[in-house]
Amino acid sequence: MGIWEAIQEEIADKPEISAELRTSWREQEIMTLTLENMTTKQKTERGFYIEEGRTEQGMKNIVQKMLLRLDDVDEWRRKLAMLKLIQAALDIKLDQRQKQYALSEIPAWPVGGRRTGKTLANVIKILINEKETIRITRDSAWRYTDDNRFGYAYAWEQAKILKEISDKLRKKDVPVPEVKDDQVLVKIMNIGICGSDIHVYHGKHPFTKYPVSQGHEVSGEIAKVGKDVTEFHEGQKVTIEPQVYCGQCYPCRHGKYNLCEELKVMGFQTTGTASEYFAVDASKVTPIPEDMSYEEGAMIEPLAVAVHGVKQMGDVKGMNITVIGAGPIGNLVAQTAKGMGAAKVMITDVSDLRLEKAKECGIDVCVNTLHKDFGEAMVEAFGPDKADVIYDCAGNNITMGQAIKYARKGSVIVLVAVFAGMAEVDLAVANDHELDIKSTMMYRHDDYVDGIRLVNEGKVHLKPLISKTFAFKDYLKAYQYIDDNRETTMKVIINVQED
């Protein structure tokens, strides 16, 4: 009896699953034939990782061999899960980094070593435990293991989506939360929407479990304080730092809780602030000035990202700085650098609208690199010594390639943006030019404090970045607006208390 027949017998009492898998297997056979007719160039253009002997049929054989190694496992659910893995690897596209999901119910598979086994188990979580809510996207390939032995799961333009989310953003009535002794109850006023929220909305965020309440850029007013809270009072304007950390791991013990080994972020891995009232530990609340608007207060979180990023270079006073990418974060990085004393700041983008916003916010040099060479622009702005540091706030192979190619030898590049996939950059040049490539991750409390100070001192301007405001009931319309106006939208704000 073959593997397929054996598993079919195993799940014979579940006809709906059996039929689904038979259909998937037939689709896989068709996909295999189509792939065999594609040239290597076509495969490469579609994001396939092609290596001799790593064909679609070869991957199918590998997975079949894995099934044989599960003979000592009695639970039919595990074997069914492995068949779902076949479906994942051969029938549909998975986000490249969705494999990062942790799996608690099913231990790592005893195949291909610990790392590979863990990867397979993570995918099973997506396909089995989350299948009713998670969307598997068409536009990215999933890397099959942590090493290259099995290559990439072959992405497919006509691939089947396991489950669409299609505008499933629901409003739910819940009780006002009870406040613990060390907590405060915040009446949420405004919520900012960022790019990561849009990724969650479309089911593309690699580290989010569904369903989830969103909201992490927030401002509000304290409505109630727990009995052990002494540093805040009712009616006080505040913002919330959305990180939830363990306090026990090495980074946490050394003050770098933004790098916590168990880090969760409100609105992604734990409940977000998109509610009329939100109970939160007082330790995660930061006061904002009474004369700061709630719209500005909701933008302190992205400003803290920029502040932390700029600080990776240390003291930037008197430096010449280039920022690649004039979106909200890039704009705030450029403003923060100027506010912290940079001598001159140049910002680049391919959007005239975003560059106009940067100019409105006081950035010295704004360059559209569709019309001017990046290297020439740096020399024009700063002379032959070019920039002391380049902040990449766009995060793609082109922008990081520009930074490495044109950076002054021995200078610094700070990656602020999050790459969507595996980077392909010329590290040989980086090595030859002794470039110092740094990265940055979120923020800490002092970054909030410094960001608020910069706004108070008039050195950072937040209001010009607000593109549109929506009422709480129109949350979905806000997402749709951003989708329809990506090139002209900077920051969208949700007014939670507006009817």
Side-chain angles (χ1 to χ4, degrees):
M1 181 182 293
I3 294 173
W4 181 245
E5 290 77 12
I7 300 302
Q8 285 287 0
E9 183 177 280
E10 182 88 10
I11 60 173
D13 61 332
K14 301 187 178 298
E16 72 286 356
I17 295 174
S18 178
E20 179 184 349
L21 292 175
R22 278 199 301 272
T23 299
S24 297
W25 200 270
R26 285 197 298 272
E27 289 176 357
Q28 185 276 319
E29 298 283 7
I30 295 171
M31 290 171 64
T32 300
L33 291 174
T34 307
L35 184 65
E36 288 172 352
N37 293 329
M38 293 172 64
T39 66
T40 299
K41 181 180 179 183
Q42 288 172 325
K43 293 172 183 175
T44 302
E45 289 172 348
R46 286 161 175 77
F48 299 129
Y49 180 86
I50 301 301
E51 183 178 341
E52 186 177 357
R54 302 297 191 257
T55 63
E56 201 83 4
Q57 185 62 43
M59 182 176 287
K60 176 179 169 182
N61 292 339
I62 288 170
V63 180
Q64 287 177 328
K65 289 177 182 177
M66 289 179 178
L67 276 173
L68 286 174
R69 298 177 66 174
L70 295 175
D71 286 345
D72 59 335
V73 179
D74 295 326
E75 295 91 343
W76 70 267
R77 187 168 180 265
R78 291 196 176 190
K79 292 186 179 181
L80 171 61
M82 187 57 83
L83 281 174
K84 283 289 188 179
L85 175 62
I86 297 175
Q87 181 180 347
L90 303 178
D91 293 346
I92 59 179
K93 288 184 184 181
L94 283 174
D95 249 12
Q96 182 178 354
R97 296 175 67 196
Q98 282 182 338
K99 65 188 176 72
Q100 301 292 339
Y101 278 96
L103 181 71
S104 57
E105 298 92 322
I106 306 175
W109 291 92
V111 291
R114 181 180 63 82
R115 293 170 69 207
T116 300
K118 183 178 179 182
T119 300
L120 304 185
N122 290 342
V123 174
I124 293 164
K125 163 127 182 168
I126 297 170
L127 296 175
I128 301 295
N129 300 337
E130 303 288 338
K131 69 178 247 182
E132 292 305 319
T133 52
I134 195 161
R135 181 187 193 184
I136 294 173
T137 60
R138 293 173 184 265
D139 59 352
S140 57
W142 170 69
R143 191 176 181 187
Y144 188 62
T145 65
D146 287 331
D147 54 31
N148 279 331
R149 286 177 298 162
F150 301 149
Y152 280 84
Y154 297 95
W156 207 260
E157 280 187 323
Q158 290 78 32
K160 165 186 170 184
I161 293 181
L162 183 67
K163 182 69 177 177
E164 289 282 355
I165 285 182
S166 65
D167 294 344
K168 285 192 173 69
L169 199 154
R170 300 184 181 92
K171 186 176 181 180
K172 184 178 180 180
D173 290 327
V174 297
V176 175
E178 295 294 325
V179 180
K180 297 177 182 178
D181 293 346
D182 61 348
Q183 289 187 324
V184 297
L185 181 67
V186 178
K187 182 180 181 181
I188 302 299
M189 294 298 187
N190 285 140
I191 296 172
I193 298 176
C194 81
S196 296
D197 294 318
I198 298 300
H199 290 154
V200 172
Y201 167 61
H202 286 299
K204 297 180 181 180
H205 195 281
F207 305 122
T208 299
K209 291 180 61 175
Y210 298 83
V212 65
S213 296
Q214 292 193 267
H216 66 285
E217 301 179 3
V218 62
S219 64
E221 174 187 291
I222 293 181
K224 186 176 181 180
V225 298
K227 69 174 188 176
D228 294 338
V229 177
T230 58
E231 65 270 36
F232 297 105
H233 59 82
E234 292 181 11
Q236 189 172 10
K237 282 186 172 183
V238 295
T239 185
I240 295 173
E241 300 174 30
Q243 296 148 316
V244 179
Y245 45 89
C246 73
Q248 304 299 320
C249 65
Y250 184 91
C252 283
R253 296 197 315 271
H254 290 78
K256 296 185 177 182
Y257 55 85
N258 59 311
L259 304 178
C260 173
E261 297 288 356
E262 305 296 331
L263 182 67
K264 295 180 176 64
V265 180
M266 298 172 192
F268 298 91
Q269 298 83 29
T270 188
T271 303
T273 62
S275 55
E276 293 173 309
Y277 290 90
F278 188 76
V280 63
D281 294 348
S283 62
K284 300 187 186 306
V285 173
T286 299
I288 59 176
E290 285 301 311
D291 59 354
M292 179 179 285
S293 70
Y294 284 116
E295 290 88 351
E296 291 172 303
M299 295 179 67
I300 296 301
E301 191 271 353
L303 176 56
V305 171
V307 171
H308 189 76
V310 171
K311 287 180 180 178
Q312 299 309 299
M313 186 57 190
D315 186 0
V316 298
K317 191 174 296 182
M319 289 187 179
N320 290 324
I321 289 175
T322 292
V323 178
I324 303 177
I329 296 298
N331 182 297
L332 292 174
V333 166
Q335 288 198 65
T336 297
K338 277 190 66 67
M340 289 183 168
K344 193 173 189 181
V345 177
M346 179 180 89
I347 193 167
T348 71
D349 205 288
V350 295
S351 165
D352 286 333
L353 181 142
R354 292 184 171 188
L355 292 169
E356 282 299 319
K357 283 292 179 186
K359 189 178 297 184
E360 181 182 346
C361 292
I363 305 309
D364 302 305
V365 181
C366 304
V367 177
N368 189 323
T369 48
L370 282 178
H371 312 307
K372 182 181 284 288
D373 178 76
F374 178 79
E376 292 177 6
M378 275 216 296
V379 172
E380 281 187 21
F382 307 119
D385 291 345
K386 299 188 280 191
D388 297 298
V389 57
I390 299 174
Y391 291 93
D392 184 358
C393 300
N396 57 64
N397 289 325
I398 294 174
T399 56
M400 183 53 75
Q402 287 176 335
I404 290 174
K405 181 178 180 180
Y406 294 110
R408 185 183 72 219
K409 288 187 176 184
S411 63
V412 179
I413 297 170
V414 179
L415 176 61
V416 180
V418 178
F419 263 72
M422 189 71 66
E424 297 178 7
V425 296
D426 196 343
L427 291 181
V429 172
N431 182 252
D432 187 63
H433 292 185
E434 202 173 285
L435 298 175
D436 187 357
I437 301 178
K438 297 175 178 287
S439 61
T440 179
M441 171 61 178
M442 296 190 76
Y443 36 70
R444 294 191 285 271
H445 177 69
D446 60 293
D447 302 314
Y448 269 70
V449 173
D450 287 341
I452 292 168
R453 175 181 56 78
L454 288 169
V455 175
N456 247 7
E457 294 174 353
K459 295 178 178 178
V460 169
H461 308 283
L462 298 177
K463 288 185 177 179
L465 303 187
I466 300 174
S467 303
K468 197 171 179 66
T469 301
F470 288 84
F472 194 40
K473 64 182 176 63
D474 294 326
Y475 221 117
L476 177 58
K477 290 181 181 178
Y479 282 160
Q480 293 169 338
Y481 175 84
I482 294 170
D483 276 345
D484 294 339
N485 301 275
R486 286 185 180 273
E487 297 304 315
T488 57
T489 300
M490 292 291 282
K491 179 60 64 176
V492 168
I493 299 290
I494 301 294
N495 187 330
V496 176
Q497 300 301 322
E498 182 180 333
D499 293 332

